[in-house]
Structures are given as structure tokens and as C-alpha cells.
Amino acid sequence: MSLNKEEITGRLVEILSDEQVITDPDVLRESSIDRFLRYEGFHGVFRKPFPAAVVYPHNAQEVSEVLKFANQNGINVVPRTGQSATEGGLETAVENSIVVDGSKMNKVVKIDPYNMQATAQCGVSLEVLDDQLRAQRYTTGHSPQSKPLAQMGGLVATRSIGQLSTLYGGIEDMVVGLEVLFPNGHISRIKNVPRRAAGPDIRHIAIGNEGAFCFITEVTVKIFKHFPENNVYLGYVLDHMKTGFEILREVMVNGYRPSVARLYDPEDAEYHFSHFSDGKCVLIFITEGDKPLVDATAQAIREITEKYGECVPVEPKLIQRWFENLNWDPSDLEEEKREIIETNNICNTTEISANWSLINDIYEVCMERIRNEIPDLTLLGGHSSHSYLNGTNLYFVYFYNVMNCGADEEISKYHMPIKKIIVEETIKAGGSMCHHHGVGKHRTNWIEDEYGSSYYMLKTLKDAFDPNGIMNKGTIFPIED
Ligand SMILES: Cc1cc2nc3c(=O)[nH]c(=O)nc-3n(C[C@H](O)[C@H](O)[C@H](O)COP(=O)(O)OP(=O)(O)OC[C@H]3O[C@@H](n4cnc5c(N)ncnc54)[C@H](O)[C@@H]3O)c2cc1C
């Protein structure tokens, strides 16, 4: 028989302590959603079942005890750290869930410059870790726009990627080792070594699991030398996205690794760079690192762009200024909330990836279908912000005004139909429906299409590690009934 709310919280207090188990109704309400439903949240509309409690364990052993209790009693667990998720990963999909918040496990365990790695507990904010490293002329190289908010556990759990990824890679390229806990309470430590070939690389069971397989309590990442004073900023305006993709490709396939390589379409460029974009696309490169590398990379990019007549350079200071204000500032949240409440104009995004041969077609088909099928958008644009040897990503950005339709239609009239077009066209063409925000609870409809015949492997992992299905129900895997 399932336990009621009082029985769950009573037992949690016995396992942890009074102060670590929060049942304040306001906290429970706010903990039932993430930023996917921020329009609703900002308007005080909460329709997801509220959790029974939010708990704050102090160490892996306490997480283990909470998971064991939940597993034995079939209670849904939603892991969280920085709470910057955007795809519904933090939504409590069923009644009486336990939100396990790792943010009190917030010690930087070790900075090891000789072996070029740093170990942090899951609740260490990336900004805190990176600031400590930068004070010693090192960096994680990880720089998602949510850097001030996001914490190490969530960053690994979502397979996050930062704005400097073309040089440093995504989090999957940075994680050296981890400590992870499974629903049966088992604590696994994956050791820190430069490479391993002893069977499959099991780090990837945790990286990107979105709290659906395991809870991450500690992470070791690579660190890099940091030379910000050497940065070179390059910017261009050009007429066509197709040309921009060609230039990005040429830079990547010739082996150059700028830290930033971005291409904005005219609408998105107008939003960010109206002072110089003049209705055109904007292409940006930043090169960073040791000076000879930076100079050689910048020179090669100049030579490549010069071959494309439509590509016109802009003042580097414009790019530097933009870059220095790129990260989201938590103090913007109140302003964002006020603006949404006052204007009912809201921005959402969907990010995908595809090979070079597919990306421009996906961009064009999605833009055309969205323009034709979704009325009244106040802005529709897109940019590529992460490039690879074999392809790149696209980050679609759309604003809509929900003045006439309210919270329900925010999702049903705008956000989900737009997402559906982007996801379906991307999968049909052969790309991936998720570049970095995770599947969350709002792309699960397409998870089997995304994986095709390899879905067997993913589902088998879920069944093996979480046989009772208590880990973040509805995330990555749709709720079956
Ligand atoms: C303004 C803004 C900008 C953003 N920019 C970027 C960007 O540039 N790049 C990018 O990749 N993402 C970006 N994101 C998305 C988000 O910041 C990332 O997904 C981030 O990695 C989430 O980390 P978090 O600590 O906030 O995790 P949370 O939001 O707390 O959780 C995210 C997911 O991970 C799971 N999870 C959290 N902690 C754990 C844990 N310890 N163990 C197991 N599972 C866990 C949760 O259940 C949830 O499914 C942005 C979000 C915002 C709001």
C-alpha cells in the first residue's frame, strides 16, 4: 500500500532531520515546475501535483538512505541542483514525489593543477568553481549562459554545453570521474583516469541521465590554463545562413578551434545586434588560449572569411562588448518576471543538431513551416552556437504574445506546436532533436523516434538501474499509462 504524505515526510525526518525536510506549501508549489512553465509560474498557475517534501541531504550516505526508502515504497524522486532546467525535468509528474535537492552538498573538494582536474560536490555552482580556478589562472572551460545558476550535478545530468564549446567541448568531454547513486542505495565511484578501455565507458550512464537513472553527488572535471588577455574577437555581417554554415564548416574541417563560433539569422541578429546587423546575418568567432595558437587561429579565420565576398567584417570591440555581457544574470529574473506579467510576451527555445549536409535544409524547412503554421509570433529566429567536425547545432528562438489566450494556450497554441515542427523535421532529416537542454518531460513523445533501433539499449538501462521506475517519472521516458 502506498504511503500518504504525512507518512512520507515523517519517515524522511527520521532518515535526515527536521531542518532537512521542507514541507512549506510555498516551497512545494514552486518545486512542482521548472522554467518550461515559467509563464504559468509567474502568473501563479500551478497544475502539477505538488511534492510531499523537498529534502536537502548533506552527503552521499543520506542520499542513499532517501533513495532506498523511496525505492522500497514506490515514491517518485526528482533530483535537482541549480534549478535552471528548461524542459520540464524538474516537474513533479505524480502525487507525493520527493524532490532531492543536492545544493547543500556544495564543497569544492580538490583543485589539482598538476593533473589538470578539479573535484566538486554536485551542489557547487559552476560560477563558484570557475571563479576559484580563474583566480589561479585556470578554468573549467565550461560556460553555459546559466553559469551563475547551474550546479555541477545538474550540468552533468543534462549533458550541458557552454558558449566556449568549440574549443573545450561539452560537459561529456570534461568529466573525468563521478560519484553516482542508484535507487537501491548503491554508491558507485567512477575513478579519475585520463582514458580507459576496460569495456564500455560507464560515465555516460550518468552523463545526461536527467535524474532518470541515478543521482550524481560528486564530479571531477578537467581544467585548462586560462589566458583571457589573449582573446581575439572577430565579427562579420553576411547575407545568407547557407554561406555562414559553409564558413563555420570550413573553419572546423580545417582543424581550427575558436572558443566561440556563432551564426545568427537576420531576426535573431536584429534582437542581439540591432546596432550593426542591418537586417543581415551575423557571424562571430572568438579565439582564446596561448598566444601563438590564438593568433594562428584568428589569422586562419580571417583568410577563410575573406574568400566569401558577402562576408563583411565589423568592429571587434562590438563583439567583445557583446561577449562580456553574455551570461544570464540572476538579478534579471525579477525583471524578466515583471516583463512577462506586464506584456504577456514570452520567449521560448528549442535546440537541435545535424550534420553539415542537413543543417541549412532543416533551418529553412522549420522556419517556413513555423511561419506558415503558427500565427502571430512576435519574433522567430535562430542561431548556430556549437560547431563540430561533422556538423553544428541550431537554436531556434521564438517570442509570442499570450495576451488573448492565457496559460493553457501558451503551451498548446505556441510552444508545443513549434517544438513539434522543429523536432519532427529534424528527426525526419536525420538530426538529433536535443542538442543540449535535455529531453525533460516535453520531448518524450519523440524519444523512440530519436533513438530508432537503439532505443532498446536506452530502455534496457532504465529497466536495469531503476526497475521500480521511481527516478524522475516522465523524464526522458514517457509515463506509460
Ligand atoms: C537563462 C538560461 C540559460 C541557459 N543556458 C544554457 C546553456 O548555455 N547551455 C546548456 O547546456 N544549458 C543551458 N541552460 C539550461 C540549464 O541551465 C542546464 O540544463 C543546466 O545544466 C541545468 O543545471 P542545474 O544545476 O540548474 O540543474 P537542475 O535544473 O536542478 O536539473 C536539471 C535536470 O537534471 C536533473 N538533475 C539535477 N541535479 C541532479 C543530480 N545531482 N543528479 C541527477 N540528476 C540531477 C534534474 O532532475 C533535471 O532533470 C540554460 C537555462 C537558463 C534558465
Side-chain angles (χ1 to χ4, degrees):
M1 209 178 66
S2 58
L3 301 182
N4 65 31
K5 187 178 162 178
E6 287 67 34
E7 289 166 330
I8 294 171
T9 53
R11 188 71 190 99
L12 287 170
V13 170
E14 282 168 24
I15 294 170
L16 300 169
S17 68
D18 235 350
E19 307 80 70
Q20 290 170 275
V21 180
I22 310 301
T23 53
D24 175 333
D26 290 346
V27 174
L28 299 184
R29 193 186 59 222
E30 296 294 333
S31 302
S32 64
I33 63 169
D34 67 23
R35 290 177 60 88
F36 189 90
L37 297 177
R38 70 187 182 285
Y39 178 80
E40 292 82 336
F42 290 177
H43 281 84
V45 182
F46 294 91
R47 274 176 288 223
K48 300 290 164 195
F50 297 171
V54 178
V55 299
Y56 289 89
H58 292 153
N59 52 50
Q61 197 51 48
E62 288 186 350
V63 176
S64 167
E65 295 301 324
V66 171
L67 292 185
K68 259 192 289 187
F69 161 65
N71 196 36
Q72 281 158 4
N73 292 283
I75 302 165
N76 182 46
V77 167
V78 178
R80 80 176 186 197
T81 50
Q83 301 184 50
S84 63
T86 56
E87 296 291 324
L90 300 180
E91 285 174 17
T92 42
V94 294
E95 294 291 341
N96 286 337
S97 303
I98 304 171
V99 175
V100 180
D101 188 313
S103 62
K104 298 274 195 276
M105 289 182 269
N106 57 4
K107 284 192 198 61
V108 174
V109 178
K110 186 172 182 188
I111 292 178
D112 176 2
Y114 194 74
N115 293 308
M116 297 298 280
Q117 57 195 30
T119 301
Q121 290 184 313
C122 60
V124 171
S125 117
L126 176 60
E127 187 154 273
V128 166
L129 177 61
D130 214 49
D131 283 354
Q132 284 194 23
L133 288 166
R134 286 184 183 207
Q136 303 176 44
R137 305 274 293 165
Y138 294 100
T139 175
T140 57
H142 203 39
S143 185
Q145 216 199 353
S146 52
K147 186 174 174 183
L149 267 187
Q151 299 174 2
M152 297 311 286
L155 287 159
V156 174
T158 52
R159 286 187 87 86
S160 61
I161 198 161
Q163 294 151 135
L164 314 175
S165 69
T166 316
L167 178 61
Y168 299 105
I171 194 82
E172 68 276 17
D173 303 303
M174 301 167 177
V175 172
V176 177
L178 304 121
E179 182 183 74
V180 291
L181 280 84
F182 291 91
N184 61 4
H186 181 79
I187 304 178
S188 289
R189 185 168 274 277
I190 304 175
K191 64 187 173 187
N192 306 326
V193 290
R195 187 174 188 266
R196 60 206 103 204
D201 189 340
I202 54 174
R203 285 174 298 180
H204 293 276
I205 289 167
I207 301 172
N209 90 85
E210 296 185 47
F213 296 169
C214 58
F215 194 102
I216 301 161
T217 45
E218 193 183 284
V219 181
T220 300
V221 288
K222 295 173 191 166
I223 61 174
F224 301 86
K225 288 192 167 187
H226 191 226
F227 310 94
E229 65 282 3
N230 294 343
N231 282 15
V232 172
Y233 302 88
L234 301 165
Y236 304 87
V237 290
L238 66 168
D239 297 322
H240 302 102
M241 286 294 276
K242 199 169 184 350
T243 314
F245 288 131
E246 281 305 322
I247 297 172
L248 285 176
R249 179 181 173 278
E250 203 171 328
V251 168
M252 295 308 295
V253 301
N254 285 302
Y256 297 106
R257 294 289 174 269
S259 54
V260 175
R262 284 186 173 231
L263 171 67
Y264 288 78
D265 76 0
E267 292 82 357
D268 208 6
E270 173 74 14
Y271 184 67
H272 294 279
F273 311 105
S274 58
H275 48 303
F276 69 82
S277 66
D278 199 20
K280 296 194 172 214
C281 303
V282 169
L283 181 62
I284 290 172
F285 295 100
I286 301 175
T287 68
E288 70 172 71
D290 208 2
K291 195 151 184 350
L293 275 173
V294 166
D295 290 346
T297 307
Q299 184 52 27
I301 291 169
R302 284 190 200 100
E303 285 168 18
I304 290 170
T305 49
E306 272 163 18
K307 292 193 293 185
Y308 294 81
E310 69 178 82
C311 199
V312 179
V314 300
E315 182 56 45
K317 279 242 159 335
L318 295 169
I319 308 304
Q320 182 171 358
R321 235 170 275 142
W322 161 81
F323 183 68
E324 285 166 357
N325 293 300
L326 198 52
N327 278 352
W328 187 72
D329 182 342
S331 65
D332 293 345
L333 184 64
E334 278 311 306
E335 178 61 12
E336 183 190 358
K337 187 172 174 178
R338 193 188 54 75
E339 247 181 67
I340 289 177
I341 289 173
E342 274 176 25
T343 63
N344 286 302
N345 196 252
I346 184 159
C347 168
N348 252 311
T349 63
T350 296
E351 20 61 60
I352 59 101
S353 74
N355 290 349
W356 293 118
S357 55
L358 306 174
I359 199 76
N360 191 61
D361 289 348
I362 293 175
Y363 167 73
E364 285 181 358
V365 168
C366 290
M367 294 301 276
E368 192 184 339
R369 274 196 61 192
I370 297 168
R371 278 197 195 102
N372 289 339
E373 294 173 35
I374 315 294
D376 315 327
L377 293 184
T378 49
L379 188 151
L380 171 64
H383 61 259
S384 155
S385 40
H386 307 275
S387 283
Y388 309 89
L389 186 66
N390 55 337
T392 190
N393 83 309
L394 263 177
Y395 194 85
F396 291 93
V397 181
Y398 32 94
F399 283 71
Y400 37 81
N401 196 325
V402 284
M403 188 98 66
N404 300 316
C405 58
D408 272 339
E409 289 181 46
E410 195 268 290
I411 301 298
S412 61
K413 184 173 172 190
Y414 292 108
H415 193 23
M416 284 315 285
I418 297 172
K419 204 176 256 312
K420 185 169 188 288
I421 292 173
I422 296 168
V423 166
E424 285 180 358
E425 290 300 338
T426 301
I427 293 178
K428 192 165 75 186
S432 172
M433 69 166 177
C434 272
H435 177 263
H436 62 268
H437 281 167
V439 180
K441 298 197 172 61
H442 297 280
R443 283 190 260 198
T444 56
N445 281 348
W446 302 282
I447 191 75
E448 292 200 49
D449 296 338
E450 164 77 10
Y451 274 79
S453 58
S454 64
Y455 184 71
Y456 165 75
M457 297 168 72
L458 185 74
K459 184 70 171 65
T460 303
L461 286 174
K462 172 73 176 170
D463 294 341
F465 288 119
D466 182 22
N468 298 332
I470 63 138
M471 295 299 285
N472 211 351
K473 261 188 211 306
T475 290
I476 302 184
F477 305 89
I479 293 179
E480 276 165 17
D481 45 89

